[in-house]
Amino acid sequence: MTLNPNDPRVKKTRRGLQEAFVRLILKQGYDSISIQDIASEAQAARVTFYRHYRDKEELLTDCLNTLYEGLAEKTQRLSPQSLLEGRSPLSALYEHIEEQENLYHILFSSRGTQTVIERMRHHLALNALDALRTTGRAPQGGIPLDIVAYHTASAQLGLAMWWLEHGKPYPAAYMARVSLWLTLSGLLETMGAADMTLPPPPFPA
Amino acid sequence: MTLNPNDPRVKKTRRGLQEAFVRLILKQGYDSISIQDIASEAQAARVTFYRHYRDKEELLTDCLNTLYEGLAEKTQRLSPQSLLEGRSPLSALYEHIEEQENLYHILFSSRGTQTVIERMRHHLALNALDALRTTGRAPQGGIPLDIVAYHTASAQLGLAMWWLEHGKPYPAAYMARVSLWLTLSGLLETMGAADMTLPPPPFPA
DNA sequence: TTACAGAAATACATAGTGTATCATAAGCTC
DNA sequence: GAGCTTATGATACACTATGTATTTCTGTAA
C-alpha cells in the first residue's frame, strides 16, 4: 500500500516526523536516535514511521532534500537587478544558511549525506564555470577548467562551512561579498586578465 | 582491566580489527556493519572487540587518527631542498592520498569523522597563513586573515577530495602543483602583490 | 615452570528492528 | 450527513544486535 502524499494526514505526519527528527539530532546526535525516539517525539506510533520511511537515513535524506530545494529556489530568484546591487548566488547561500541554521549544522556535520553537499558543490562549480566563460579567455598554462571550477567551488562552500561552524564571526552579507571577491580576484589572475581590477568589499562597521 | 598496548597479542588483535574494519567498510559500507561482522572478519571473538573499543565509532577514529599521523609525518619530512624542487605540503597530501587511497575514500565519504577532516583543513590553513605572512603585506580592503586562510585551505582540501572521488583524472604531482599555483596566484592578487608573477605549471604529457 | 594477561566460548539480559493484524478515526465522495 | 476509503494507533511477535559476566584456554615473560 503506497501512501497518498497529498492527503493532509500524510503531510501532517511527515512534517511531524521531520521536525521531531531535527530536534532530536540537535539534542542527542544522530547515531543514538532510535525509530521509537522519533515516533515518540512526533507523538506518533512507531509503526507509522515505517509506513513513510524505510529507515533513519531515508528520513534524513528527505529533510536535506527539502533544504536543498529551498536553496535552489532562493538562488533562482536572483534578478538581474539584484545582481547589479552586489548580490550573487553566494548571497543566497549565506542567507539561506542563516535562515535554516539548524539544518545546515546537521548537513555540514559528518552526518550530512555527502550527496547533498556534493550537489551544492557541483552547483557552485557550474556557477564558477559560467564566470570563467564570461572572461572569454582560456586559463593560463592550459589548466583544465574542471580543476579551476572545483577549486573555486570548494573554496566557496568550505568557507561557508567554516563560517557557520565557527559561530558566524562576520555578517552573512559581508561573507558573501568577500567570498565572491576572493574568488574573482583569483580567477581573473588565473585567466590572464589581471588588468581587470575589482575593488575589495569594505569591511563592515 | 586496562590492556597493555605493547603486548604483542594486543597489537595483533587491534591491527586485525582495524584491517578487517577497513575491508568491511569498502565492501558493504559503514552503517550495516555489526560488531560481530568485524570480529568474524578479523577471526576474533565478539567479546574481544569490546575489550579494545567501546563501539564502531571508536575503532574508526583509531583508524583515521593513524592515517592523519602518517600525513603529518610525511609533511614534516619536507626539506628546504625539496621545497626548492617544487614540492610542497600539497605534494605530501596528494602522495599520501595515493598511498592510502582506501582509507581516504572512507575519510572523505560522509562517514569520515569530521574531526579528522577539520584537522587537515586547519593544518592547511596554518600553511596558508605562513604564505600570507611571507608576502609582508596586509590584505586588500582589510579582509580578515582567517577568512583568507580558510578560503584557501578549503580550496586545497576540497580539490583533493574532488580529485579522489572523481577517479583521479590527473596525476597527483600535477594536481599538487596546480593547486599550489591557483592558490598563490589568488593570494598574490589578494595581498596587492600582483606585480609578482608565477609561471603556471606545465600540463603533463 | 610458573604466574600473569589476553583471547575464546558460552550464556544472558536488554534494546532495537521490521512486519502483521485488527480496531479506530480522519478525510473524501455522493 | 451516510458511507466509503485510507491513514493512524495499539498490540503482538520473530529476529538481530548490544553489552556484560563467567569460565576456560593459550601465548608471553620473568
Side-chain angles (χ1 to χ4, degrees), chain A residues 29-103:
Chain A
Y30 179 90
D31 283 306
S32 72
I33 299 174
S34 70
I35 310 292
Q36 178 66 71
D37 291 338
I38 302 170
S40 301
E41 176 75 25
Q43 299 184 62
R46 190 169 64 92
V47 214
T48 302
F49 177 94
Y50 290 107
R51 287 219 183 77
H52 296 272
Y53 302 101
R54 210 166 48 80
D55 51 25
K56 267 196 302 180
E57 206 72 33
E58 195 170 295
L59 174 55
L60 180 65
T61 303
D62 200 26
C63 293
L64 297 182
N65 278 341
T66 306
L67 180 70
Y68 179 75
E69 265 137 45
L71 172 61
E73 199 183 328
K74 204 174 172 65
T75 307
Q76 297 252 309
R77 268 209 270 275
L78 282 175
S79 63
Q81 175 61 29
S82 62
L83 287 173
L84 288 175
E85 286 163 359
R87 291 169 47 75
S88 70
L90 288 174
S91 310
L93 175 60
Y94 278 93
E95 284 166 18
H96 200 242
I97 291 177
E98 284 218 305
E99 286 165 19
Q100 301 284 337
E101 191 165 335
N102 285 349
L103 268 175

Side-chain angles (χ1 to χ4, degrees), chain A residues 141-157:
Chain A
I143 298 178
L145 275 184
D146 52 357
I147 290 183
V148 182
Y150 271 88
H151 166 95
T152 302
S154 300
Q156 293 173 340
L157 187 56

Side-chain angles (χ1 to χ4, degrees), chain B residues 5-146:
Chain B
N6 296 319
D7 189 308
R9 293 169 294 179
V10 172
K11 286 195 204 167
K12 185 186 167 201
T13 301
R14 292 206 176 148
R15 191 157 15 90
L17 287 172
Q18 289 178 15
E19 288 170 4
F21 193 37
V22 172
R23 279 197 299 279
L24 287 176
I25 291 180
L26 293 170
K27 203 206 305 173
Q28 65 184 79
Y30 179 90
D31 284 305
S32 73
I33 300 175
S34 71
I35 310 291
Q36 179 66 70
D37 291 339
I38 302 170
S40 301
E41 176 76 23
Q43 300 184 62
R46 189 170 65 89
V47 209
T48 301
F49 177 94
Y50 289 107
R51 282 224 188 73
H52 295 273
Y53 302 102
R54 210 167 49 82
D55 51 25
K56 269 196 300 181
E57 207 72 32
E58 195 171 295
L59 174 55
L60 179 65
T61 302
D62 200 26
C63 294
L64 296 182
N65 278 341
T66 306
L67 180 71
Y68 179 74
E69 266 138 43
L71 172 62
E73 198 183 328
K74 205 176 171 60
T75 307
Q76 296 253 309
R77 269 210 268 277
L78 283 175
S79 62
Q81 176 60 27
S82 61
L83 287 173
L84 287 176
E85 286 162 359
R87 291 167 48 73
S88 70
L90 287 174
S91 310
L93 175 62
Y94 278 93
E95 284 166 19
H96 200 242
I97 291 177
E98 284 218 303
E99 286 164 17
Q100 301 284 337
E101 190 164 336
N102 285 348
L103 270 175
Y104 272 101
H105 267 299
I106 297 169
L107 175 60
F108 289 165
S109 77
S110 61
R111 283 286 4 142
T113 51
Q114 199 65 13
T115 59
V116 182
I117 295 183
E118 219 25 77
R119 268 192 279 168
M120 294 180 62
R121 197 200 309 275
H122 187 70
H123 177 82
L124 290 168
L126 291 182
N127 274 324
L129 271 179
D130 258 3
L132 289 169
R133 295 219 179 84
T134 61
T135 65
R137 313 199 192 193
Q140 293 195 35
I143 298 177
L145 275 184
D146 55 354

Side-chain angles (χ1 to χ4, degrees), chain A residues 131-181:
Chain A
L132 290 169
R133 295 220 179 83
T134 60
T135 65
R137 313 200 190 192
Q140 292 196 35
I143 298 178
L145 275 184
D146 52 357
I147 290 183
V148 182
Y150 271 88
H151 166 95
T152 302
S154 300
Q156 293 173 340
L157 187 56
L159 189 61
M161 291 169 73
W162 168 82
W163 173 72
L164 179 62
E165 281 157 15
H166 286 74
K168 304 193 292 177
Y170 306 97
Y174 178 66
M175 289 301 296
R177 305 182 95 208
V178 168
S179 181
L180 182 63
W181 186 83

Side-chain angles (χ1 to χ4, degrees), chain A residues 3-4 9-10 13 45 47-48 51-52:
Chain A
L3 303 186
N4 173 10
R9 291 170 295 179
V10 172
T13 301
V47 214
T48 302
R51 287 219 183 77
H52 296 272

